[in-house]
C-alpha cells in the first residue's frame, strides 16, 4: 500500500511506498546499504552506506561533497539494496532493492552519523571523531517501489 504525493524530482505524482515492517526492522538494527546513483556520463556509481530511517523515508549522510551526493543533487534517481536474513526461492538470500528519488540538503550529517554510529561501530564510539565536524549533507530518499526476494515483494 502507498499514498500519493508530488515527487521531489518531477512535477508528476509518484507512488510512495510504505515499507514492510521487516525492512524497517533491518534498517533500524543497522544494515549496510548499496546505494546506486547515476554519474554525469550515465554510468552507475555504487557505494556502501549506513542507512537511517525517518518513517518510510531512508536517510544517508556524507560529511563532504562525495560523488554520491553530487550525483543525487543532479539526478535524484537511485536505488538502495541490502541483504536480510533468510533464504527464498532457488537458494537466494533474502534481499531488498528500494527504488527511490532523493532530496539532498545541506547540514545535518554529523547528527545523523552520531545517531547511526552505535549500530555499525558499537556503543560509546564517537563518530564523526572530530569535535567540530563540517555540516555535510543528508539525502532523504523517498521509496517508490520495492523489489527483491522476501515477504516485502508481492
Amino acid at each position: 500500500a502507498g499514498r500519493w504525493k508530488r515527487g521531489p524530482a518531477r512535477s508528476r505524482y509518484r507512488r510512495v511506498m510504505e515499507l514492510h515492517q521487516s525492512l524497517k526492522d533491518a534498517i533500524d538494527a543497522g544494515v549496510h546499504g548499496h546505494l546506486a546513483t547515476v554519474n554525469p556520463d550515465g554510468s552507475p556509481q555504487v557505494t556502501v552506506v549506513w542507512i537511517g530511517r525517518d518513517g518510510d523515508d531512508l536517510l544517508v549522510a556524507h560529511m563532504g561533497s562525495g560523488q554520491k551526493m553530487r550525483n543525487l543533487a543532479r539526478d535524484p534517481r537511485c536505488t538502495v539494496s541490502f541483504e536480510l536474513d533468510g533464504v527464498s526461492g532457488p537458494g537466494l538470500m533474502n534481499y531488498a532493492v528500494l527504488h527511490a528519488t532523493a532530496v539532498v540538503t545541506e547540514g545535518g550529517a554529523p547528527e545523523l552519523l552520531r545517531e547511526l554510529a552505535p549500530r555499525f561501530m558499537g556503543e560509546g564510539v564517537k563518530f564523526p571523531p572530530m569535535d567540530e565536524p563540517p555540516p555535510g549533507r543528508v539525502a532523504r530518499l523517498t521509496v517508490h517501489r520495492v523489489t527483491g526476494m522476501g515477504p516485502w515483494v508481492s
Side-chain angles (χ1 to χ4, degrees):
R3 59 190 186 279
W4 295 91
K5 79 173 196 179
R6 188 169 292 277
R10 295 183 174 80
S11 62
R12 66 183 174 168
Y13 285 91
R14 308 247 343 200
R15 186 170 176 95
V16 177
M17 296 295 304
E18 293 179 21
L19 295 179
H20 190 277
Q21 189 60 48
S22 58
L23 298 177
K24 292 178 183 181
D25 293 344
I27 293 166
D28 294 347
V31 64
H32 286 93
H34 312 100
L35 173 64
T37 63
V38 182
N39 282 318
D41 66 2
S43 64
Q45 191 268 349
V46 180
T47 188
V48 175
V49 294
W50 293 354
I51 305 170
R53 186 174 66 81
D54 180 15
D56 292 315
D57 287 346
L58 306 182
L59 302 173
V60 175
H62 189 72
M63 294 301 296
S65 60
Q67 188 65 48
K68 65 181 168 275
M69 292 298 186
R70 291 193 306 271
N71 285 348
L72 290 173
R74 181 186 38 75
D75 183 342
R77 298 173 298 160
C78 60
T79 58
V80 175
S81 67
F82 49 89
E83 288 186 352
L84 294 101
D85 289 335
V87 176
S88 297
L92 291 175
M93 290 291 298
N94 284 338
Y95 70 97
V97 180
L98 287 64
H99 304 258
T101 52
V103 174
V104 177
T105 56
E106 298 292 329
E111 295 81 6
L112 178 57
L113 292 170
R114 278 188 204 107
E115 178 184 325
L116 297 177
R119 301 178 197 176
F120 298 95
M121 301 176 75
E123 291 297 326
V125 171
K126 180 181 178 181
F127 191 86
M130 63 282 284
D131 288 333
E132 294 188 32
R137 295 175 169 178
V138 173
R140 176 178 292 270
L141 283 56
T142 301
V143 179
H144 303 289
R145 183 167 57 110
V146 177
T147 59
M149 188 73 73
W152 42 87
V153 179
S154 50

